[in-house]
Amino acid sequence: MVVVSIAEQEWVEPLSDVPGVEVVHWDMKADPPRDDIEVVVPPYMGNPKRLERLAQLPKLQAVQLVTAGYEHAIPYLPDGVQLANGRGIHDTSTAELAVGLAIAAQRGIAEAVRAQPEGDWLRMAGRPSLADRHALVIGYGSIGRALAKRLLAFEVEVTAVASKPRDGDELVDRVHGIDELPDLLPQHDVVFLIVPLTDATRHLVDADFLAAMPPNALLVNVARGGVVDTDALVEACAAGRVRAALDVTEPEPLPQEHPLWRTQGVLITPHVGGATTAFTPRALRLLRTELRRYAAGEPLQNPVR
C-alpha cells in the first residue's frame, strides 16, 4: 500500500477507497504522523513554510499540489522528490473570474457599486464592451484555453501566447511565442496574464510592456503578482495610460496603505481565482486519478519538477 497524506481532513474519507492507497490526515502544522508517507498532498491555502516538514519524510517520493502555481513549493522540495501541480483543477473558476474582472472593469461595475449607497444614478453609457475587443491571452495552458473558450462566447477576438510558438487548436489559429509580444501588444485592447511565476516571467509586465499597450487598454492578471512590476503599473494607471483588473498582487496580502488600492483605473480582488465551490469536486477528481495511477506504478500526469 502507498501511504498518502492529505492536508484536508474532509478529503480523507472520499479518497480512502482508491485501490492500493492508504490515506492519512496531515495538515503539516506539526511533525508527520508517521515516517512511511510516500506521497504528500499539501494544504491548498496556508503558509508555504509548512513544506519545510517534507524533509522529515525518509520515504517521500512525490508531492501532489492542488494549486496550479508551484513556485512556492520548489524551495522546500527534497532532492529526488517529484513535484506535480493541480493542472485542470482551477481552469473553470479562474477563467470565470478573469472574464468577470474584464467585464467589471470594462463596464464600470466598481464605480456603480461605489455610487449605490449615495443613490447616484451615474451616466455610464458608451463604456467599452468586452464584445468586439481584441484580447491577448498570455499563458496558453489549460487555464488559458478555458479562458479563450469563454472569451470567444462573448464575441471577443482572441490571440494566444505561450513560451514558444506552436500550431493552434480548435480555438485559435496559432499560438504565438512570447518573443512576439512587442508586435502583439499594440494591437490588443485587453491583455490577460495566466503564466506561472518563473525567472523568465518575473516582472514580464514592466514599464516597456505597459507603454506598448494601446491607450486605455486593460491588463487582467490572474497569474501571480510577481509577473507584474507593481511600481510600473501604479505609474501607468495613475497617468491614465492603462487600466488594470487584478486578482493577484505583489506583495500579498496587499498592505492597506499601498497606493495600488487607490490608483485610478485599478480593480482588485484578493487572490480568489480558484477559491470557489468548483474547487473541491475538481480537486478530488484529480487526486483520485493521480493516486490511482501512482499506486499502479504509472507516472503522475502533471509533473513540473
Side-chain angles (χ1 to χ4, degrees):
M1 297 286 284
V2 175
V3 180
V4 177
S5 73
I6 302 289
E8 314 298 336
Q9 176 70 67
E10 62 271 23
W11 292 2
V12 172
E13 183 176 353
L15 295 171
S16 61
D17 62 345
V18 176
V21 171
E22 180 183 355
V23 179
V24 298
H25 175 241
W26 181 37
D27 61 12
M28 306 188 74
K29 292 180 180 179
D31 292 342
R34 46 199 287 181
D35 63 6
D36 58 349
I37 295 172
E38 190 171 330
V39 180
V40 170
V41 180
Y44 172 48
M45 303 283 196
N47 191 334
K49 285 186 68 66
R50 292 191 205 176
L51 297 174
E52 290 179 339
R53 293 191 171 90
L54 293 174
Q56 301 177 26
L57 297 173
K59 296 187 178 180
L60 182 65
Q61 295 296 316
V63 175
Q64 172 64 63
L65 301 174
V66 290
T67 55
Y70 53 85
E71 73 283 347
H72 63 287
I74 289 177
Y76 306 103
L77 194 70
D79 291 342
V81 173
Q82 185 178 25
L83 179 67
N85 75 339
R87 178 184 175 90
I89 293 175
H90 303 284
D91 296 5
T92 296
S93 292
T94 304
E96 178 181 270
L97 182 61
V99 172
L101 285 170
I103 292 174
Q106 294 290 89
R107 300 298 298 271
I109 303 302
E111 292 96 315
V113 170
R114 287 193 291 268
Q116 184 171 340
E118 306 302 323
D120 187 2
W121 188 268
L122 297 179
R123 296 182 178 181
M124 297 177 63
R127 290 190 65 102
S129 64
L130 186 58
D132 304 332
R133 299 308 99 193
H134 292 74
L136 192 62
V137 176
I138 303 177
Y140 197 61
S142 60
I143 299 177
R145 284 192 293 274
L147 173 58
K149 183 177 180 180
R150 286 156 176 78
L151 291 173
L152 290 169
F154 278 92
E155 302 178 36
V156 177
E157 294 189 30
V158 177
T159 302
V161 173
S163 57
K164 296 179 181 179
R166 62 177 187 262
D167 292 337
D169 53 21
E170 73 280 7
L171 301 176
V172 296
D173 293 335
R174 64 176 294 231
V175 179
H176 297 260
I178 203 162
D179 59 342
E180 299 177 63
L181 281 179
D183 294 327
L184 293 171
L185 285 169
Q187 306 171 35
H188 292 84
D189 313 291
V190 186
V191 177
F192 292 90
L193 302 173
I194 320 178
V195 293
L197 181 60
T198 66
D199 291 341
T201 62
R202 181 172 292 281
H203 288 188
L204 170 68
V205 179
D206 56 12
D208 291 340
F209 182 109
L210 295 165
M213 293 172 64
N216 203 41
L218 175 67
L219 179 76
V220 181
N221 189 5
V222 290
R224 288 291 186 267
V227 175
V228 177
D229 181 334
T230 302
D231 292 340
L233 182 63
V234 168
E235 181 180 351
C237 291
R241 296 198 304 273
V242 298
R243 297 169 294 127
L246 313 171
D247 185 49
V248 290
T249 61
E250 185 182 50
E252 281 188 17
L254 193 64
Q256 189 173 15
E257 68 280 3
H258 198 285
L260 192 61
W261 284 116
R262 288 163 289 280
T263 300
Q264 69 170 345
V266 176
L267 173 64
I268 300 172
T269 54
H271 200 157
V272 290
T276 72
T277 54
F279 166 66
T280 295
R282 286 160 176 77
L284 288 173
R285 189 155 57 237
L286 179 135
L287 289 174
R288 288 187 67 84
T289 298
E290 296 303 274
L291 295 180
R292 185 185 300 112
R293 288 175 59 89
Y294 186 92
E298 300 175 24
L300 298 174
Q301 297 183 92
N302 303 312
V304 292
R305 184 162 171 176

